Amino acid sequence: MRHSYHLEKHYIERAGWLRAAVLGANDGIISVTSLVVGIAASGASTEILLVTCVAGLISGAASMAAGEYISVKSQQDIETNDLLMEERELQRHPTHELNELKTIYIQRGLEPALAQQVAEQLTNHNALDAHARDEIGISAHTSAQPFLAAFSSAMAFTVGSLFPLISIMILPEHYLDKGVMLIGVLSLGMMGALASYAGGVSVWRGAVRVMLWGIIAMLFSAWIGSLFNVSVA
């Protein structure tokens, strides 16, 4: 007897790592490029810009990893406490919890008799899993993973920061400020397009959106840097 399995890969399964990766890469490009552009506008030398870029890469990657870990770990703690609370309720008030599941399924469109049957079967199979998924909204695809989020953010920030770093190393000094900004905007567009493609949305819309915000951030940094108009030694 042959069995057919239709396994769909939904975009929501990528939400955890995609959010961290996109945030990290875009932040790496925008923040480090803006930092370099601002320092360049103040009259700094190429050597100073290179040191500034490396310092921005290291501190930014560490900050992204720490911040993402703390944020996602807090979410994980909330999920864990909710699951412990639900487990206690299942032990103390099993009938009430069964009726909660039944009510949820009725609200989703099942007939009361069928909702009762579904609630009983899922409870017998794995009561905590059923309540976590259908009452609290916690599933394996959306549960918090702090180490993965922290690593993804740090690596993505580092990759994003490589664009301005390489720009400083290969561009002529008299084209450095405009060249770094141009490469930063183009790399933002590329990252935005990749993220939109992975998320199943319009590639052009995602690219243009992130490029516009990047241009605003870089121009603002350049304006602030130009106010100093000094050479950093």
Side-chain angles (χ1 to χ4, degrees):
M1 187 174 179
R2 298 178 64 184
H3 297 274
S4 175
Y5 296 94
H6 182 57
L7 299 177
E8 296 176 333
K9 291 293 184 180
H10 292 281
Y11 296 113
I12 191 64
E13 297 176 16
R14 309 171 183 173
W17 65 264
L18 182 60
R19 172 188 170 275
V22 170
L23 178 62
N26 288 344
D27 195 25
I29 296 171
I30 294 176
S31 61
V32 177
T33 301
S34 298
L35 177 64
V36 170
V37 168
I39 297 297
S42 73
S45 64
T46 302
E47 291 75 14
I48 293 296
L49 295 181
L50 188 60
V51 172
T52 300
C53 186
V54 173
L57 187 158
I58 296 172
S59 60
S63 176
M64 286 292 293
E68 194 69 18
Y69 176 84
I70 293 171
S71 174
V72 178
K73 182 61 177 176
S74 298
Q75 179 186 341
Q76 187 183 57
D77 291 341
I78 293 173
E79 292 177 357
T80 300
N81 289 334
D82 273 342
L83 290 176
L84 290 174
M85 183 188 304
E86 196 63 32
E87 190 172 23
R88 288 195 299 267
E89 290 300 310
L90 284 168
Q91 294 173 355
R92 296 172 181 174
H93 311 289
T95 303
H96 176 73
E97 293 299 313
L98 179 65
N99 288 332
E100 279 188 345
L101 275 186
K102 175 184 175 181
T103 302
I104 291 171
Y105 299 142
I106 290 175
Q107 292 173 346
R108 292 182 180 177
L110 295 183
E111 295 293 332
L114 180 58
Q116 179 71 28
Q117 184 180 2
V118 171
E120 290 176 353
Q121 289 188 7
L122 290 178
T123 298
N124 292 333
H125 175 68
N126 191 326
L128 183 59
D129 182 67
H131 282 271
R133 181 182 60 252
D134 296 324
E135 182 182 349
I136 306 174
I138 300 174
S139 68
H141 296 313
T142 59
S143 60
Q145 301 181 57
F147 283 108
L148 178 60
F151 178 77
S152 299
S153 294
M155 291 304 297
F157 187 96
T158 301
V159 171
S161 301
L162 291 178
F163 288 99
L165 180 62
I166 295 174
S167 302
I168 296 172
M169 298 173 65
I170 64 175
L171 290 173
E173 188 169 359
H174 52 285
Y175 291 128
L176 203 54
D177 52 348
K178 296 180 177 61
V180 170
M181 183 181 296
L182 177 61
I183 292 176
V185 172
L186 293 177
S187 58
L188 278 174
M190 183 181 68
M191 289 294 179
L194 287 174
S196 298
Y197 176 78
V201 297
S202 172
V203 171
W204 289 106
R205 185 184 305 169
V208 171
R209 178 173 54 201
V210 70
M211 287 170 70
L212 286 175
W213 281 107
I215 291 172
I216 292 172
M218 293 173 198
L219 289 176
F220 180 74
S221 296
W223 174 67
I224 294 296
S226 66
L227 297 179
F228 294 91
N229 194 27
V230 294
S231 179
V232 181

